[in-house]
């Protein structure tokens, strides 16, 4: 005679609990598919978090490692992140909420047609992409709130549940502004209460009485670094440094050193002054600097007392130049008398 042995009540309870947990996991995956897979950030114009990742912005906390993870409830401006926590996406990365006219590096921007591109780690079904911009008279030295922004999107793309490409671009008509502004870009996914938040710090130029910085020079050049100096600009609270038209850092002094460069390579630098309202000056005259090292020809050092004629070649601040015509005493930077020898 066969005797069946039934599991005890403790085993049954464990099996029931495990089964219930499995059902709960499945329900979460079905009801909220976007929470675990959809991540992305504004790539162009470069967002505040992306510039943190690229080490242009500093002291950013976790945003330096995961710019794609700034996730908040969707529905802005009626819903979404709370005032004061817009840039951080509801405190996902609290450091991003720090706000002043000089805290963040800025990306050049112009009114009119501009391309806005997102880098999406997972191209999830999407409700909409929306873009807002700060009011002309916003306060750049106060936390970002709804009152900082024009709450009508200047650009909106409705996808109605379709999926974008992993690198998604839309052309938007950017409104007229001057000086420092913030663009709020929002990607709302479908099937979840989720939005991904990016803010871009942009500079429209104009609106500033500051003149361009003068006398930009390279005070020291090595195989992998360049030290820059320039004259102080009255009214400036900081300076933004550009290399080959890309922002590489800021300084509150009239000097800046960049490291990690390639030897024997020519770089072009400019400097922009920034006032307490975040307005930027015109850029300084460009300075070409060539790092030492590499297999390059070095010509005689330029001399202020020597007469040069077209075709004469000299070296100045590690960069080789060729005279276009007769010249004497004209420093081979920032003028049209000399041309850089590649």
């Amino acid at each position: 005679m066969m005797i069946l042995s039934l599991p005890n009540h403790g085993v049954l309870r464990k099996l029931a609990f495990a089964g219930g947990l499995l059902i709960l996991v499945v329900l979460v995956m079905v009801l909220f598919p976007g929470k675990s897979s959809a991540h992305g950030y504004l790539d162009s114009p470069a967002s505040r978090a992306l510039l943190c990742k690229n080490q242009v912005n500093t002291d950013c906390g976790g945003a330096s490692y995961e710019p794609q993870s700034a996730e908040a409830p969707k529905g802005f401006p009626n819903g979404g992140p709370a005032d004061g926590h817009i840039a951080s996406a509801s405190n996902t990365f609290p450091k991003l909420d720090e706000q002043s006219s000089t805290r963040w590096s800025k990306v050049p921007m112009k009114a009119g047609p501009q391309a806005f591109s997102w880098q999406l780690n997972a191209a999830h079904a999407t409700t909409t992409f929306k873009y807002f911009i700060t009011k002309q008279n916003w306060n750049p030295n106060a936390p970002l709130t709804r009152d900082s922004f024009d709450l009508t999107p200047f650009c909106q793309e409705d996808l109605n549940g379709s999926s974008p490409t992993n690198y998604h671009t839309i052309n938007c008509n950017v409104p007229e502004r001057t000086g420092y502004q913030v663009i709020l870009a929002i990607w709302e996914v479908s099937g979840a209460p989720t939005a991904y938040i990016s803010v871009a710090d942009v500079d429209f130029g104009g609106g500033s009485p500051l003149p361009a910085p003068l006398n930009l020079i390279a005070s020291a050049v090595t195989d992998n670094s360049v030290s820059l100096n320039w004259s102080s600009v009255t009214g400036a609270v900081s300076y933004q440094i550009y290399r080959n038209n890309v922002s590489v850092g800021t300084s509150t002094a009239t000097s800046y050193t960049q490291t990690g460069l390639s030897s024997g390579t020519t770089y072009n630098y400019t400097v922009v002054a920034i006032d307490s309202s975040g307005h930027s000056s015109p850029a300084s005259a460009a300075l070409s600097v060539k790092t030492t090292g590499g297999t390059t020809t070095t010509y005689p050092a330029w001399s202020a007392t020597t007469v040069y004629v077209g075709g004469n070649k000299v070296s100045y601040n590690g960069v080789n130049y060729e005279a276009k015509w007769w010249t004497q005493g004209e420093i081979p930077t920032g003028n049209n008398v000399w041309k850089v020898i590649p």
Side-chain angles (χ1 to χ4, degrees):
M1 180 177 179
M2 182 178 294
I3 299 175
L4 297 176
S5 177
L6 297 176
N8 60 37
H9 292 294
V11 173
L12 289 174
R13 282 195 297 269
K14 291 179 180 178
L15 289 173
F17 176 78
L21 184 61
L22 178 61
I23 292 171
L24 179 61
V25 169
V26 171
L27 283 173
V28 169
M29 293 176 66
V30 170
L31 294 175
F32 305 105
K35 290 293 287 183
S36 61
S37 61
H39 292 81
Y41 58 85
L42 185 67
D43 181 72
S44 179
S47 67
R48 183 178 292 184
L50 178 58
L51 291 181
C52 289
K53 179 183 178 182
N54 293 341
Q55 299 182 354
V56 176
N57 288 330
T58 58
D59 190 22
C60 302
S64 298
Y65 310 100
E66 295 187 73
Q68 73 278 6
S69 298
E71 179 180 348
K74 63 185 178 184
F76 187 90
N78 296 326
D83 286 348
H85 302 290
I86 294 173
S88 70
S90 296
N91 272 328
T92 302
F93 300 118
K95 280 285 187 179
L96 295 184
D97 283 326
E98 295 178 1
Q99 181 61 50
S100 75
S101 61
T102 59
R103 174 64 174 91
W104 306 106
S105 293
K106 299 164 186 68
V107 179
M109 178 59 62
K110 293 181 180 179
Q114 300 290 339
F116 287 76
S117 299
W118 282 77
Q119 180 65 60
L120 309 180
N121 287 22
H124 196 276
T126 295
T127 303
T128 186
F129 290 92
K130 295 188 289 187
Y131 302 87
F132 302 84
I133 191 168
T134 43
K135 301 172 183 175
Q136 177 59 53
N137 61 347
W138 76 295
N139 182 0
N141 296 303
L144 287 172
T145 67
R146 282 160 176 76
D147 191 53
S148 305
F149 292 91
D150 182 342
L151 295 180
T152 299
F154 68 84
C155 186
Q156 181 166 330
E157 181 185 20
D158 297 319
L159 270 65
N160 301 315
S162 62
S163 296
T165 58
N166 286 89
Y167 195 79
H168 183 73
T169 299
I170 178 177
N171 290 316
C172 295
N173 192 34
V174 179
E176 292 283 347
R177 291 290 191 275
T178 60
Y180 172 32
Q181 304 290 332
V182 172
I183 290 175
L184 170 62
I186 301 176
W187 170 36
E188 294 188 348
V189 300
S190 297
T194 302
Y196 290 88
I197 307 291
S198 284
V199 296
D201 301 281
V202 298
D203 179 23
F204 285 80
S208 173
L210 297 180
L214 299 176
N215 304 316
L216 176 62
I217 63 169
S219 56
V221 180
T222 70
D223 285 7
N224 55 21
S225 70
V226 170
S227 294
L228 303 172
N229 289 89
W230 56 90
S231 297
S232 176
V233 174
T234 301
V237 296
S238 68
Y239 301 89
Q240 193 155 0
I241 297 87
Y242 291 84
R243 187 192 73 207
N244 298 339
N245 296 318
V246 176
S247 175
V248 292
T250 59
S251 174
T252 56
T254 55
S255 60
Y256 180 80
T257 297
Q258 186 176 33
T259 59
L261 303 176
S262 300
S263 63
T265 303
T266 299
Y267 298 97
N268 294 312
Y269 288 93
T270 55
V271 176
V272 169
I274 302 171
D275 67 17
S276 59
S277 296
H279 295 138
S280 300
S281 75
S284 68
L287 173 69
S288 293
V289 183
K290 189 170 188 177
T291 51
T292 56
T295 55
T296 59
T297 302
T298 300
Y299 296 99
W302 172 83
S303 170
T305 60
T306 301
V307 172
Y308 299 98
V309 296
N312 287 165
K313 297 175 181 178
V314 299
S315 176
Y316 182 77
N317 277 342
V319 181
N320 292 328
Y321 295 88
E322 181 179 336
K324 297 180 182 179
W325 49 75
W326 187 98
T327 179
Q328 182 182 27
E330 294 184 84
I331 298 174
T333 58
N335 58 58
N336 61 0
V337 177
W338 297 92
K339 65 179 181 180
V340 176
I341 301 173

